[in-house]
Amino acid sequence: MYAFAPEPSQKLIRQDILELTATFPGGHLSAAHVRDIWLQLGQTGLPGMAIPVEYGGRGYDVLTTVIAFEALGYGFPNNGFNFSVAAHLLACVIPLWLYGSNDLKSTYLPGLCSGKLIAANGMSEPSSGSDAFSMKTIALPQAEGFSIRGSKTFVSNGPIADNVLLYAATDPEKGFMGGISAFWIDRQMHTFTSSAPLEKAGLADSP
């Protein structure tokens, strides 16, 4: 039997997030607002809620993480911003924790968990969306790593991200049988460009 009733510690987390989000501004968020709110949210640990404490996270389980995001939705009903935080944690930070090297984890997870760093997931492309394994972005081996060539689109957090979890074909002939690799891209170290945010019908504050 699995109980879904919140425990006292989970209720405290929920209350902390509700109290903090009550101070957040309403309406459309400017770029300056987004960074500031992200840092404030980092005080609750939400950007790294499920990441072990040793890497700067809170080390909470799935149910506690869900309760925390539910509180964010009630306290700050900005679906675009909330979607961005969820994409950051679920599509970028958790994969880095699970599959990244020890060096990558120790270097980036503390900042990602504290809200100082924002991550984006680069998988969809102009010519391939749900059919991710037909991606055209290629990673070519070089003497000291890889040279990556290609374009991504619909990258949540793309225009504001400090880091990108990028997928590229390292062996296109293998396709889904092991031909795709994931790369951690640092805007301060690697050369790439990002366009202006796309105008959307919904999730306007998720650039």
Side-chain angles (χ1 to χ4, degrees), residues 125 132-142 145-150 152 166-185:
E125 297 184 356
F133 291 107
S134 67
M135 66 178 60
K136 304 302 182 187
T137 298
I138 265 189
L140 302 172
Q142 304 289 318
F146 288 84
S147 173
I148 300 175
R149 302 174 186 174
K152 299 293 180 178
L166 182 83
Y167 295 89
T170 45
D171 191 342
E173 292 185 2
K174 285 187 177 180
F176 62 85
M177 295 298 291
I180 306 295
S181 297
F183 297 86
W184 191 258
I185 308 298

Side-chain angles (χ1 to χ4, degrees), residues 12 19 36 43 71 73 85 111 132 152 179 184 195:
L12 285 175
E19 290 178 359
D36 183 55
Q43 298 171 14
V85 178
K152 299 293 180 178
W184 191 258
S195 65

Side-chain angles (χ1 to χ4, degrees), residues 43-207:
Q43 298 171 14
T44 69
L46 188 57
M49 186 66 67
I51 305 303
V53 174
E54 64 186 284
Y55 292 117
R58 297 291 294 271
Y60 287 122
D61 58 13
V62 172
L63 180 57
T64 305
T65 302
V66 170
I67 289 171
F69 271 95
E70 181 184 51
L72 178 64
Y74 276 113
F76 189 55
N78 183 314
N79 290 335
F81 179 82
N82 299 350
F83 184 89
S84 278
V85 178
H88 162 92
L89 175 60
L90 303 178
C92 305
V93 181
I94 288 178
L96 175 62
W97 162 52
L98 291 176
Y99 305 111
S101 67
N102 288 331
D103 284 346
L104 283 176
K105 289 190 282 190
S106 61
T107 299
Y108 292 104
L109 284 178
L112 293 164
C113 292
S114 69
K116 293 180 180 178
L117 297 176
I118 299 173
N121 180 292
M123 181 179 286
S124 296
E125 297 184 356
S127 61
S128 65
S130 58
D131 183 16
F133 291 107
S134 67
M135 66 178 60
K136 304 302 182 187
T137 298
I138 265 189
L140 302 172
Q142 304 289 318
E144 298 182 356
F146 288 84
S147 173
I148 300 175
R149 302 174 186 174
S151 299
K152 299 293 180 178
T153 190
F154 303 129
V155 180
S156 299
N157 297 331
I160 60 172
D162 303 289
N163 305 120
V164 180
L165 178 58
L166 182 83
Y167 295 89
T170 45
D171 191 342
E173 292 185 2
K174 285 187 177 180
F176 62 85
M177 295 298 291
I180 306 295
S181 297
F183 297 86
W184 191 258
I185 308 298
D186 185 332
R187 191 182 289 271
Q188 299 299 317
M189 296 172 58
H190 306 110
T191 303
F192 69 94
T193 59
S194 55
S195 65
L198 298 174
E199 292 188 15
K200 304 186 296 295
L203 302 179
D205 285 315
S206 177

